[in-house]
Amino acid sequence: MQKEKLRQLLTDIREGKVKVENALEKIQNLPFEDLGFANLDHHRSLRKGHPEIVFCENKTPEQVGEIFKRLSEYNNVLGTRASTEMYEQVLERLPGAVYHPVGRTITYENEKIVLPADESKHILVITAGTTDIPVAEEAIETARFMGNHVRSLFDVGVAGIHRLFNNKHHIDNANVIIVVAGMDGALPSVVGGLVDKPVIAVPTSVGYGASFNGIGPLLTMLNACAPGVCVMNIDNGFGAGYFASMVNK
Amino acid sequence: MQKEKLRQLLTDIREGKVKVENALEKIQNLPFEDLGFANLDHHRSLRKGHPEIVFCENKTPEQVGEIFKRLSEYNNVLGTRASTEMYEQVLERLPGAVYHPVGRTITYENEKIVLPADESKHILVITAGTTDIPVAEEAIETARFMGNHVRSLFDVGVAGIHRLFNNKHHIDNANVIIVVAGMDGALPSVVGGLVDKPVIAVPTSVGYGASFNGIGPLLTMLNACAPGVCVMNIDNGFGAGYFASMVNK
Amino acid sequence: MQKEKLRQLLTDIREGKVKVENALEKIQNLPFEDLGFANLDHHRSLRKGHPEIVFCENKTPEQVGEIFKRLSEYNNVLGTRASTEMYEQVLERLPGAVYHPVGRTITYENEKIVLPADESKHILVITAGTTDIPVAEEAIETARFMGNHVRSLFDVGVAGIHRLFNNKHHIDNANVIIVVAGMDGALPSVVGGLVDKPVIAVPTSVGYGASFNGIGPLLTMLNACAPGVCVMNIDNGFGAGYFASMVNK
Amino acid sequence: MQKEKLRQLLTDIREGKVKVENALEKIQNLPFEDLGFANLDHHRSLRKGHPEIVFCENKTPEQVGEIFKRLSEYNNVLGTRASTEMYEQVLERLPGAVYHPVGRTITYENEKIVLPADESKHILVITAGTTDIPVAEEAIETARFMGNHVRSLFDVGVAGIHRLFNNKHHIDNANVIIVVAGMDGALPSVVGGLVDKPVIAVPTSVGYGASFNGIGPLLTMLNACAPGVCVMNIDNGFGAGYFASMVNK
Amino acid sequence: MQKEKLRQLLTDIREGKVKVENALEKIQNLPFEDLGFANLDHHRSLRKGHPEIVFCENKTPEQVGEIFKRLSEYNNVLGTRASTEMYEQVLERLPGAVYHPVGRTITYENEKIVLPADESKHILVITAGTTDIPVAEEAIETARFMGNHVRSLFDVGVAGIHRLFNNKHHIDNANVIIVVAGMDGALPSVVGGLVDKPVIAVPTSVGYGASFNGIGPLLTMLNACAPGVCVMNIDNGFGAGYFASMVNK
Amino acid sequence: MQKEKLRQLLTDIREGKVKVENALEKIQNLPFEDLGFANLDHHRSLRKGHPEIVFCENKTPEQVGEIFKRLSEYNNVLGTRASTEMYEQVLERLPGAVYHPVGRTITYENEKIVLPADESKHILVITAGTTDIPVAEEAIETARFMGNHVRSLFDVGVAGIHRLFNNKHHIDNANVIIVVAGMDGALPSVVGGLVDKPVIAVPTSVGYGASFNGIGPLLTMLNACAPGVCVMNIDNGFGAGYFASMVNK
Amino acid sequence: MQKEKLRQLLTDIREGKVKVENALEKIQNLPFEDLGFANLDHHRSLRKGHPEIVFCENKTPEQVGEIFKRLSEYNNVLGTRASTEMYEQVLERLPGAVYHPVGRTITYENEKIVLPADESKHILVITAGTTDIPVAEEAIETARFMGNHVRSLFDVGVAGIHRLFNNKHHIDNANVIIVVAGMDGALPSVVGGLVDKPVIAVPTSVGYGASFNGIGPLLTMLNACAPGVCVMNIDNGFGAGYFASMVNK
Amino acid sequence: MQKEKLRQLLTDIREGKVKVENALEKIQNLPFEDLGFANLDHHRSLRKGHPEIVFCENKTPEQVGEIFKRLSEYNNVLGTRASTEMYEQVLERLPGAVYHPVGRTITYENEKIVLPADESKHILVITAGTTDIPVAEEAIETARFMGNHVRSLFDVGVAGIHRLFNNKHHIDNANVIIVVAGMDGALPSVVGGLVDKPVIAVPTSVGYGASFNGIGPLLTMLNACAPGVCVMNIDNGFGAGYFASMVNK
């Protein structure tokens, strides 16, 4: 609608309703004009072509509820790092909202998400251990919310590498692979060496001792010897799901 | 040819030339059989579908020359972190080898690399400063070697952000974007916020003081607020080019 | 009153009431003489020309209450990092005290703070996200308490950089700018590149993963490519407000 | 039983029941075939020759109970980092399970563990202080569970080195030595200098100030001047007991 | 001249020479139009109102020479971190260029820098030790180049704090103070406690042991107890001089 | 009594009651003989000449009570990092025990501590802020327990350095000085530059942001420019009091 | 010979040649008596049962030569981190000394090293890459020097994990395994998951970016998910070889 | 002579030569009056009672020569971290200057240093290894220069702890002990546990791998379990010698 306002202005000039100097000033300010509620980023969805995402951590349940309500008028909305208290506030305002307790996300579909007919072009999410599953679930839910088929393969870490090989056909069939791992963070290196697909590595803060809340696996992944591996922030399942969705499309 | 050996063995069983127990043992060992020169990874190109890559650093010029010679018999070869001394040894053995001094790569094309007819699906490599260019060039040469159209945009860091906006159409047209930055490493966050394309961030060790040889920009990039940004190791232009190529295909 | 004591002593010498040797000893010790309650820093306000400030964290509510009471006899008092329990103790002793819950400050005006008539010479406080607001509010309240006009602009981080540009006239009109940001901490670099005003960058500990409680944005800000950016300690909104007030005057 | 399936297949080929091409495909997939419950690692005990181990931390008591139940059908099971709540769930399902509160382990013996008749070939576990005992106990219980004689010597740190020397004959008689220490982590260096046995050093996170949750003693141990010292992760008593058992055999 | 082009376009619309739709497209692209040599930042001096600055490190002497030549056509130019080899290349092209060997800067005055008549409003640069002088000189030359009166006070560190007090009147008379210190970095805290002026602290990498190339004093300065202290990157004398100049004006 | 046993043995040899070879073996083992309860370090007080000290943290109240009871039979006992629960257990067994809540120590005097008649040879304990007082009190109580006169001077940090100078005569009169400081940790450098006495610096974990739980002041103190400053572990008031006592004697 | 002196003394007592009190004093001092050249550790070989080892780094070639000469009189000698200059000095004095340039060790056999007849009980040394070979060679030479059969398997890192599996029989046959790896350091985790042998992991400083001179692989190895893995210091091939030798015996 | 000026002034007041108001102003400024060459710290020797010390690193040989010349007029001078080039410049100006190449110090005795008649009250300097000797020598020369008897004991690290015990009488006889150690830095803990003397621990940057240029032993020493140990900066032999001298007096 910015464009419409601009078109009107130009038409006004042409029709002599507005002076050149006045128009000059208006146009210079146009892209900087205050859109009122711009910071809530309706604008963003236009610019970036995606549904709205709310990082819920450090917000009050009421704030999360209100933000969902306003954003949901025109868009699908995904909330990450959400507590059950936050979900209750959202549910009160948006009865169709759904909570995913493992990955701690809330989704609301203003418009029903339709996955592509062809399931073969899918994202595979792998974890090294069972404690990495919450981060993996955040990635899975994000990628699904953005319209991707997602499959998963949990607890196939390198300590028992046969578990990975028993599932090699799953790895071979995926289009993009997310690998979530804590502790030694060695799994993305191995997966990256087995396939010729983009591998998105996510270190987790699970672990003890010299894992240092995820610094250990983060460094391992940055240093991955296999090419084709990129790295997300510690525990950032959302980021991995979002990036994988971009690549899958 | 593994497959051929296996087919022969099965035929031999069928024809009674080999006993079941003997075959049993052979088959169990088959995937583990020594291929002689396997560590030079002819095998890899089969498995991964890509040309050969040699990380030259910490090898002697003679070793680099010999490795290039042997790998070049069946494959195109890319050498990274290569010195001119290394190149001389390669050139002596492979007169068609080419050296790219800025990105410090050697390329040898056993089979001429043919880029796709459609140039629009290309990778864009951006740097924040001029000192980031060598890392960017490594990424560019890697991506080209792997059959991608690549464009570049140098010295458009956030300290003068109008330089980036003056080139926004370049950013909008790219299919995948690599952003190389040292110091504050803020450029990938800004680029990631402007476009809906995968952004591959590469921190560089250029800088002084609290940049700590690249730790500063590495952390900035891992913490990038814009979704759609993944991170490579410090100075790892090769990794970025390789990953971008996977995504671009 | 030190001066008065010294003048009396010199007069006494002149009048022969005190011997030279005795006076010699007294004068040598004069600047080191105990002022009784000096550590409560009435002295400081003389020396530094500013109202009293109390860092409340790690003090008991009673201690905070007592310190406010004594300091308020001659001065305006600002308490930072204050809890509601502390405020209750202050309020009991000083009915006019005010609590600002977001920035967690207590203010007491012994003498009414009068802002300058000219509002144009003001400080602008910007945040990258909504979670940075408490630190920003501490800065705002500190700067106001010290007699400055302050304006604010929240949630304009680089992930959606159009939000910043929509408000560029606010940035252009400010005299000093405080930028508060966590995560990638990239906003001060961008703001510093847009204006020719002193930019005071404050990293926040909000974030997760490789933000490491604020180390990530701290390094980003120290490495800011744009000149004209200086850095405060993590979460130190008070320091930023105080420094900005010095510069604004 | 993989082997049996393979033998049957080969026999089928020989007998003409299966075609070569079909068998070819089957055999290629054989090692990757899904074994159903493989991730629970029954497979592992075959491959590695040891009883089952469960890292309980970050699992729910119910999950721990269920995993113990299923694993205990064929194997002895050891659970580490186990709470009393977890133990209750295990006990409900496996009345013979035992909890060791200091080292926080659960053991269940499907088949009675029989220690070797010769007690002289034993593992000695030493601690520097009393606060290191829980980590030491985890090591002791792990090593016993794996069939080793274990002796212990607690609170003999270098601050009173005569305590160590008073027990030198114990050190001389051991076959393998585990040394658990926090704070300065100096004890393994001293023990390593006294004996000609493998010394396994375990740093603990006990301590304050510059011990940094175990980084201090970890570095000390990695830098141990005495040869014959290797290092485990911080607080990793289980790993030390497991490794010592391997060496002792 | 952007403005002129825009005015012309609007006039053309009015006069019917350009269609609304065509103008619409043009205006949308206008702010993103390529300015040709924009990356060399002539644009910047317009936008930011300051002379040109070149960070010379990691550039070849020839590059530095060429950049100086082109920038000097319309502006005064300052080069930092410059070697004598770089200076020779600049001198060849610009005979009036001057080299300051201690602070390692090159200055070229296209237009004679005229300092204000009133010397009282000046910047004071203090160092803790003699080894901090090169960083201080970079700050001094930067501030002078930007039109400020600058005074200096070297080697007055806290180990002999009487040296600082002997010069307290210098500190009291300054308008802005830059404090450069390595090792313990304690001087800015003391200076900040003595005066009511903005103090810009610059840590230096001079030192040994636990100074860790400037991390030690950097942390000290960030943690400065005295309010009114902000911090620059390690060894960043240029940044301090630039920031002080902004504040001084 | 070791000595007595040895004398008896030698006498036995002389008198022919013991054979040379048997004695040889006994003497070789003598220094390694188990003393029964040696680990409770009665032995230590003989060897080191000091009363008993118990680090209470990470012990149960009952354990602390029991240890106090046994140690108090022959010695004075000091417990550090003690909670009120621990004190209750001690008090139940030793009615004369005293708890010092600020420094969190328990003292029990089996034999009344008598301070030297000459008070001039005393230890001075200085803090930079009020939040450093608990660590200072631990130092004070330790030094008093070990028979030293101790004086204190709190809240004289460098942000208001006149407070230190107002008390310079106290500093000049001390024999040994302990300086406790958090945040910038700058006070020991200043004190070390003023006096010619040993200065023992103790960093505290009080602070926020880049103080990093005491790493900031620890580095400052290690890098102190003034000679005559040594450093204790973070928050280690006990160590400082103990070391100061050694030096004072 | 200590023992001889002691026996003589006891005999003297018995024979009345020495008084009890005099003997008492002598015996107390006996273990502390100066052995003259004790620091050159002839004593050590008695106590520890092994040949002499010299860490050559930071010694002058002459010092290395002299130390070798003296130690070689009674023992075999191994020098690590030795330069060719050092070797020349050794060779001049000991014509039979041998230099191993890759692992940078010097060996001198005073008595011919005889390996055990049974070759099956051997140590296997594996490297992830070719740049890890020097550290591996140091381990190999150390283990051989200490009388072990050693085999090696180089360049089998996880980026091409089939290379490892092609050699699985080598891994299965070894008694102890040393795994040397830089960059992501993931290989020990994989090897540890495949076998039931002690795995000694050695991180190397080879690498770039976030490998941080070996910190990256060091953390990976400490966090290895597979039990049975212990860790040596960065680049400490000697330590690994020594420890493996202890375990192999 | 400050005192003389002040006495004259007071006499002048008494005699009516100076007015009270004028005197008042003069006295207020007196302690801040510029002493001309004060920064060269003649003043310091008065204030601190010690000879002059020059930290030579990062100064030019000429600067070192000049500083020595001027300081030597009234004082003994010690230069640390001095090169032979620096010494040549000093020698040219002061023929009696002496260079100590191992500890890299220059000493010049304006007045002959006379050690106390009683040798028993001495400082003992211990090193763990031979590579720690240069740091130890710096400590030794500093302590001697300051008038102390010093003894030394080198290469008695914990890897062969009998070497330390063979010299226990030396340790028992010392008044103050300096312990210099790199690598695991464990020696001060052991020495501190053996004696009841102040132990000054100095970490050295000698070592490799996880010693991290001295961080490893620094942390070990800060965490020393034995009370009575304080810590100096990495490689700071001078600081240890200076501190020990203060304690010894």
Side-chain angles (χ1 to χ4, degrees), chain C residues 47-48 50 192-193 196 230-231, chain E residues 47-48 50 192-193 196 230-231:
Chain C
R47 187 171 38 88
K48 299 214 47 170
H50 277 296
D196 196 36
C230 80
V231 184
Chain E
R47 186 172 38 90
K48 299 214 46 168
H50 276 298
D196 197 35
C230 80
V231 184

Side-chain angles (χ1 to χ4, degrees), chain B residues 40 51-57 59-60 63-69 71-72 76-82 86 90 104-106 138 145 238, chain G residues 130:
Chain B
L40 255 181
E52 295 291 352
I53 289 139
V54 183
F55 183 73
C56 300
E57 205 161 274
K59 295 192 172 69
T60 65
Q63 287 177 322
V64 171
E66 277 307 296
I67 292 170
F68 256 80
K69 190 179 161 197
L71 290 177
S72 66
N76 289 349
V77 190
L78 167 70
T80 62
R81 310 267 164 138
M86 292 170 179
V90 173
R104 297 180 60 222
T105 60
I106 304 170
E138 193 186 72
F145 178 78
F238 160 69
Chain G
T130 53

Side-chain angles (χ1 to χ4, degrees), chain F residues 47-48 50 192-193 196 230-231, chain H residues 47-48 50 192-193 196 230-231:
Chain F
R47 184 171 40 89
K48 299 215 44 169
H50 278 296
D196 197 34
C230 79
V231 185
Chain H
R47 187 171 38 89
K48 300 215 44 170
H50 278 297
D196 197 35
C230 79
V231 184

Side-chain angles (χ1 to χ4, degrees), chain D:
Chain D
M1 84 210 69
Q2 282 284 358
K3 209 169 170 177
E4 265 329 288
K5 280 167 81 175
L6 181 56
R7 178 178 289 118
Q8 188 56 53
L9 182 65
L10 296 181
T11 311
D12 287 352
I13 296 171
R14 175 145 241 187
E15 297 174 356
K17 292 179 185 165
V18 177
K19 286 194 188 159
V20 162
E21 282 311 303
N22 293 356
L24 187 62
E25 199 189 328
K26 275 197 172 164
I27 289 169
Q28 279 182 313
N29 286 322
L30 201 65
F32 307 123
E33 189 183 21
D34 193 348
L35 293 177
F37 206 60
N39 292 3
L40 254 182
D41 251 334
H42 293 295
H43 195 68
R44 185 200 191 108
S45 61
L46 296 178
R47 186 172 39 89
K48 299 212 48 165
H50 278 297
E52 294 290 351
I53 288 138
V54 184
F55 183 73
C56 299
E57 204 161 276
N58 293 313
K59 294 193 172 67
T60 66
E62 285 70 24
Q63 286 176 323
V64 171
E66 277 307 295
I67 292 171
F68 257 80
K69 192 179 159 196
R70 282 184 291 184
L71 291 176
S72 66
E73 287 174 41
Y74 305 102
N75 294 90
N76 289 350
V77 191
L78 168 70
T80 62
R81 310 264 164 139
S83 64
T84 51
E85 290 73 23
M86 291 170 180
Y87 174 56
E88 280 160 23
Q89 291 291 326
V90 173
L91 196 61
E92 221 166 71
R93 290 162 179 86
L94 301 171
V98 178
Y99 187 58
H100 311 262
V102 179
R104 298 180 58 222
T105 59
I106 304 170
T107 49
Y108 178 80
E109 303 188 15
N110 177 294
E111 190 172 343
K112 179 94 189 110
I113 296 167
V114 184
L115 300 192
D118 175 12
E119 288 195 28
S120 73
K121 203 179 156 191
H122 67 276
I123 296 166
L124 176 67
V125 180
I126 302 177
T127 75
T130 54
T131 48
D132 304 316
I133 292 176
V135 173
E137 286 290 347
E138 192 185 72
I140 290 169
E141 289 149 21
T142 300
R144 282 225 178 94
F145 179 77
M146 293 177 74
N148 300 277
H149 289 284
V150 187
R151 292 179 193 164
S152 63
L153 190 53
F154 291 162
D155 195 21
V156 295
V158 299
I161 207 163
H162 62 287
R163 298 179 297 184
L164 184 68
F165 292 156
N166 283 349
N167 291 287
K168 188 156 181 304
H169 54 295
H170 289 310
I171 297 172
D172 290 338
N173 290 339
N175 199 34
V176 190
I177 301 172
I178 294 170
V179 184
V180 183
M183 298 300 296
D184 61 18
L187 189 56
S189 293
V190 174
V191 173
L194 288 177
V195 295
D196 196 35
K197 312 284 167 60
V199 172
I200 302 162
V202 188
T204 62
S205 58
V206 168
Y208 59 96
S211 127
F212 300 133
N213 297 321
I215 298 179
L218 171 62
L219 294 187
T220 312
M221 291 170 181
L222 286 167
N223 289 312
C225 295
V229 178
C230 80
V231 185
M232 302 303 300
N233 201 350
I234 297 165
D235 290 335
N236 192 359
F238 160 71
Y242 191 101
F243 191 85
S245 172
M246 278 182 165
V247 172
N248 196 37
K249 281 172 177 174

